[in-house]
Amino acid sequence: PKMKEDNCLHAALICLGMLYYSHALGTEKLSHSRPSLHGHHEKGKEGQVLHRSKRGWVWNQFFVIEEYTGPDPVLVGRLHSDIDSGDGNIKYILSGEGAGIIFVIDDKSGNIHATKTLDREERAQYTLTAQAVDRNTNRPLEPPSEFIVKVQDINDNPPEFLHENYHANVPERSNVGTSVIQVTASDADDPTYGNSAKLVYSILEGQPYFSVEAQTGIIRTALPNMDREAKEEYHVVIQAKDMGGHMGGLSGTTKVTITLTDVNDNPPKFPQSVYQMSVSEAAVPGEEVGRVKAKDPDIGENGLVAYSIIDGDGMDMFEITTDYETQEGVVKLKKTLDYETKKSYSLKVEAANVHIDPKFISNGPFKDTVTVKIAVEDADEPPVFLKPSYIFEVQENAASGTVVGKVHAKDPDAANSAIRYSIDRHTDLERYFVINAEDGNIKTIKALDREEIAWHNISVFAVEVHKQHQEAKVPVAIKVVDVNDNAPKFAAAYEAFVCENARSNQQFITISADDKDDSANGPRFIFSLPPEIIHNPNFTLRDNRDNTASVLVRREGFSRQKQDLYLLPIVISDGGLPPLSSTNTLTVRVCGCDGGGSLLSCSAEAFALNAGLSTGALIAILACIVILLVIVVLFVTLKRQKKEPLIVFEEEDVRENIITYDDEGGGEEDTEAFDIATLQNPDGINGFIPRKDIKPEYQYMPRPGLRPAPNSVDVDDFINTRIQEADNDPTAPPYDSIQIYGYEGRGSVAGSLSSLESATTDSDLDYDYLQNWGPRFKKLADLYGSKDTFDDDS
């Protein structure tokens, strides 16, 4: 039906165009008597101005309908000059846009025809120029006159939308009439002529949810409270029709996909009223107990839910966090549980929207609550020590079996299993301690020495008797209490020096002491001389009462020649209970000093040398000795580097000089070949080549057991023994026993054994005897027999 309406419309437009053209042609004929084609003024011969009468139509504009498909060219119009008398002397010429190609003129009658179908959408008008000239002389009879040919529009273009598909969004729950999107279509027809380009929009699909404004193409919502959770996407088809939407107009469509965007119009809701969970009492804080989830059909930030615990007896024991990826509430353990103390807990959990839209607050409240019941499961727990660590003390040197202390653990389970104790031997490698497996008493096995180890850090295990895998471990620190069992001694190996010219009561050294015991049994130190030498005539001692003592000279004048060394015993006592003391010997040397008290020499021998030789003389003597030693070393070195003869002949060194060479031999000419297998070197077979190209600098001792008995008559054994000795003796000549033969031999007199060319070569050999060898050798006889023989046989 639509195609039929379009054909009728085209036919009507063509009829209207033809009527309009006939009217224009009739009007044109009325202008035959007009003086010219243009509207200028002319002057008469007498100078009188002649005025052209006003025409009743626009003379310089013609019309032609587009898309005309008739059989004959379309008559656009007719040009006629007033000076044309009809005798054919006037020639009409047409020039300008499309002249001669689209528009042609009859040069006699002035009729203009359009030879091609015109499309207004390609070009709406053409500007042409017409002129009348003398046919014979081509002299212009009138000035050129310009006119316009307009292409008259018909409705031949349907409306087209800017996009084939549109996408738009509108919030759900929007009010009726909310603008969604504007769609725009365009029509290539002439908007200034008729209704060919007058468009009207209508909706073909999408009712009753949306509507469109007929003139503007704006799509609006048509239903209230559209719910995204019910339907999120809509497909709308919009039509644009020209001719003002009337019948016969052309149309175009486009598809619009409209998506409802989410708003927070739904509160979260738990799918059940109670959640049941369980957790072992062995769980550690931070461990996940379970998850709850409140469903919110909204999406994005509108569906975000935050969880919190608002009530319950487990608020202190549990906590809840929000997993925003899954929108779940994660219940976690906050503190350690004890099944024997409390077996269940209850929580009241709330789920609330994070973002709330004030427009929909009436739909609230946007939160929900649920009860979470958590059951505590009994776990087989390991033993628990009453203390996290133990510290004991024991005196050093205590007898074996001394009790150090006691540890205690218990089974926290309801069964209250018996406990057995043991020491981690990795922490007590020397086995100083032992523990009673029943009661946890720790005792010593051997005496302890505080000066060796002041603290012992061991670990004690507690294991359930019936469940060996359940064990606990506790650190035990044992302090060894000090006992005054070490006497004080000199803090260093003191060696004192006193000048021969020392003055009386002159201090020459200060000493101190050291004690391995603790400070309670060490300082303060008391220094004194033994009672038997308290009145020593040479030296005296003064206790400085600060754990040091000063040694002083009692008399004046010492002589190295008489006595150069004195041994002074000193008694040192500590402050322990009871106190301990020790006698230490101080070595005092007598030295020679200058006037300022500086030491010069401290030995009697040096004193004697100083009397005869000076220091410079001693240095000169030492230098001479060093030079002589250097000369001797150089001489010995040069002598060793002297080259010795390569071969050393000894009268008693009688050996066969056996030469072993690894060559192929001289062929059949080598008539002196013999079996040398008994002379082969067994070490050489294994890859060991003992001989060198130079004489070694060490002598080889023959291996025992290789030399045969003197009276042995086995020549092979004798030769093999001598070969092994020679091969393994790097000093035995020759030092280079490799023999190289660079030829293979001159070959065999028998020539080649190949039979490939036997039939073609001249051979001196006679194979006729093969004929007598019987039928088995007949084939060979045929191959190698003489030609005459063949003839005879044939």
Side-chain angles (χ1 to χ4, degrees), residues 191-212:
T192 62
Y193 178 76
N195 294 327
S196 298
K198 186 178 181 180
L199 304 181
V200 173
Y201 299 93
S202 61
I203 183 168
L204 299 182
E205 294 181 16
Q207 301 96 340
Y209 306 103
F210 300 95
S211 63
V212 64

Side-chain angles (χ1 to χ4, degrees), residues 498 500 538-539 555 558-567 588-591 604:
V498 64
E500 290 180 310
N538 299 313
F539 308 101
R555 66 179 178 86
F558 292 88
S559 175
R560 283 183 288 171
Q561 291 179 337
K562 292 182 179 179
Q563 185 175 353
D564 63 340
L565 184 66
Y566 294 89
L567 300 177
V588 181
R589 292 185 179 274
V590 180
C591 301

Side-chain angles (χ1 to χ4, degrees), residues 425-684:
R425 288 304 171 188
H426 293 91
T427 61
D428 186 25
L429 297 176
E430 300 295 331
R431 294 185 176 270
Y432 288 104
F433 306 97
V434 67
I435 190 170
N436 189 309
E438 303 292 336
D439 57 13
N441 277 321
I442 301 175
K443 298 180 181 180
T444 61
I445 300 178
K446 52 186 177 181
L448 305 178
D449 186 3
R450 189 205 68 86
E451 286 70 43
E452 182 180 352
I453 302 176
W455 284 86
H456 293 267
N457 296 307
I458 64 175
S459 296
V460 175
F461 288 113
V463 182
E464 295 183 16
V465 174
H466 303 293
K467 300 175 182 177
Q468 298 293 328
H469 65 282
Q470 293 290 357
E471 67 177 13
K473 186 177 182 180
V474 67
V476 178
I478 301 173
K479 179 182 179 181
V480 181
V481 180
D482 183 49
V483 174
N484 192 18
D485 58 347
N486 290 278
K489 296 180 180 180
F490 276 158
Y494 292 109
E495 188 174 3
F497 303 92
V498 64
C499 295
E500 290 180 310
N501 55 358
R503 299 185 303 274
S504 177
N505 293 325
Q506 181 180 351
Q507 176 183 336
F508 61 89
I509 191 172
T510 300
I511 60 175
S512 62
D514 190 13
D515 195 331
K516 293 183 179 179
D517 292 324
D518 197 4
S519 59
N521 294 314
R524 111 160 173 86
F525 298 121
I526 300 174
F527 300 87
S528 62
L529 295 177
E532 63 271 12
I533 61 167
I534 192 169
H535 299 293
N536 188 299
N538 299 313
F539 308 101
T540 184
L541 184 69
R542 183 180 66 207
D543 193 338
N544 297 327
R545 297 184 179 276
D546 60 353
N547 296 325
T548 64
S550 299
V551 184
L552 299 88
V553 178
R554 174 167 289 194
R555 66 179 178 86
E556 294 183 357
F558 292 88
S559 175
R560 283 183 288 171
Q561 291 179 337
K562 292 182 179 179
Q563 185 175 353
D564 63 340
L565 184 66
Y566 294 89
L567 300 177
L568 179 64
I570 299 176
V571 179
I572 308 175
S573 299
D574 59 20
L577 291 176
L580 294 179
S581 63
S582 66
T583 302
N584 302 267
T585 302
L586 176 65
T587 302
V588 181
R589 292 185 179 274
V590 180
C591 301
C593 303
D594 57 12
S598 300
L599 298 178
L600 295 178
S601 177
C602 295
S603 62
E605 292 78 3
F607 178 80
L609 288 174
N610 288 336
L613 295 175
S614 64
T615 304
L618 291 174
I619 294 175
I621 292 172
L622 292 174
C624 292
I625 294 173
V626 171
I627 292 173
L628 289 175
L629 290 175
V630 172
I631 292 173
V632 171
V633 171
L634 291 175
F635 179 76
V636 172
T637 304
L638 292 174
K639 186 175 181 180
R640 287 187 176 182
Q641 292 181 353
K642 185 177 180 180
K643 190 172 183 180
E644 297 182 3
L646 186 61
I647 303 176
V648 178
F649 294 97
E650 298 179 0
E651 295 180 0
E652 64 273 14
D653 187 12
V654 180
R655 300 183 177 92
E656 289 91 358
N657 197 1
I658 300 174
I659 299 176
T660 302
Y661 48 89
D662 188 9
D663 64 309
E664 188 175 349
E668 294 182 358
E669 293 182 354
D670 190 356
T671 59
E672 297 180 354
F674 57 89
D675 185 9
I676 61 171
T678 59
L679 304 181
Q680 288 181 347
N681 181 12
D683 293 332

Side-chain angles (χ1 to χ4, degrees), residues 12 66 81 85 95 109 122 253 255 265 337 386 456 459 579 725:
E66 68 169 334
S81 177
S85 58
S95 63
S109 63
E122 290 183 4
T253 59
K255 182 182 292 185
D265 58 338
L337 300 173
L386 299 184
H456 293 267
S459 296
E725 291 180 0

Side-chain angles (χ1 to χ4, degrees), residues 214-410:
Q215 306 301 325
T216 61
I218 297 176
I219 301 175
R220 300 182 182 273
T221 58
L223 282 182
N225 297 324
M226 284 192 292
D227 190 5
R228 184 200 67 83
E229 288 72 33
K231 185 176 182 181
E232 183 177 6
E233 192 174 80
Y234 296 85
H235 298 284
V236 178
V237 177
I238 302 297
Q239 181 190 66
K241 191 173 184 181
D242 59 12
M243 299 300 293
H246 294 92
M247 184 179 296
L250 304 179
S251 63
T253 59
T254 186
K255 182 182 292 185
V256 182
T257 302
I258 301 176
T259 302
L260 297 182
T261 58
D262 185 63
V263 297
N264 191 9
D265 58 338
N266 294 281
K269 186 70 176 176
F270 283 105
Q272 58 197 70
S273 59
V274 177
Y275 283 87
Q276 298 286 349
M277 300 180 183
S278 62
V279 60
S280 173
E281 64 173 335
V284 296
E287 187 173 334
E288 181 179 328
V289 178
R291 295 188 173 218
V292 297
K293 183 175 183 180
K295 295 183 178 180
D296 191 333
D298 296 322
I299 60 175
E301 67 175 13
N302 297 319
L304 294 180
V305 179
Y307 298 87
S308 60
I309 299 175
I310 59 175
D311 197 6
D313 57 1
M315 292 184 65
D316 295 334
M317 305 300 296
F318 301 92
E319 62 182 356
I320 190 168
T321 60
T322 302
D323 186 346
Y324 285 104
E325 291 185 2
T326 61
Q327 292 299 303
E328 293 177 321
V330 183
V331 180
K332 295 182 179 180
L333 184 63
K334 190 175 181 181
K335 295 181 180 179
T336 304
L337 300 173
D338 187 9
Y339 173 81
E340 288 71 25
T341 303
K342 189 173 176 60
K343 297 179 176 56
S344 65
Y345 294 90
S346 178
L347 301 174
K348 189 175 183 181
V349 176
E350 179 184 79
N353 276 141
V354 177
H355 303 282
I356 298 177
D357 194 340
K359 297 179 181 178
F360 305 98
I361 196 68
S362 59
N363 294 7
F366 286 84
K367 57 185 177 180
D368 194 15
T369 59
V370 71
T371 300
V372 178
K373 293 184 178 181
I374 303 174
V376 181
E377 296 178 348
D378 187 21
D380 189 7
E381 301 175 82
V384 177
F385 282 94
L386 299 184
K387 295 182 180 180
S389 62
Y390 291 87
I391 300 177
F392 300 130
E393 292 184 357
V394 62
Q395 285 192 343
E396 66 174 328
N397 303 324
S400 177
T402 301
V403 177
V404 177
K406 180 179 180 180
V407 297
H408 183 68
K410 66 175 183 178

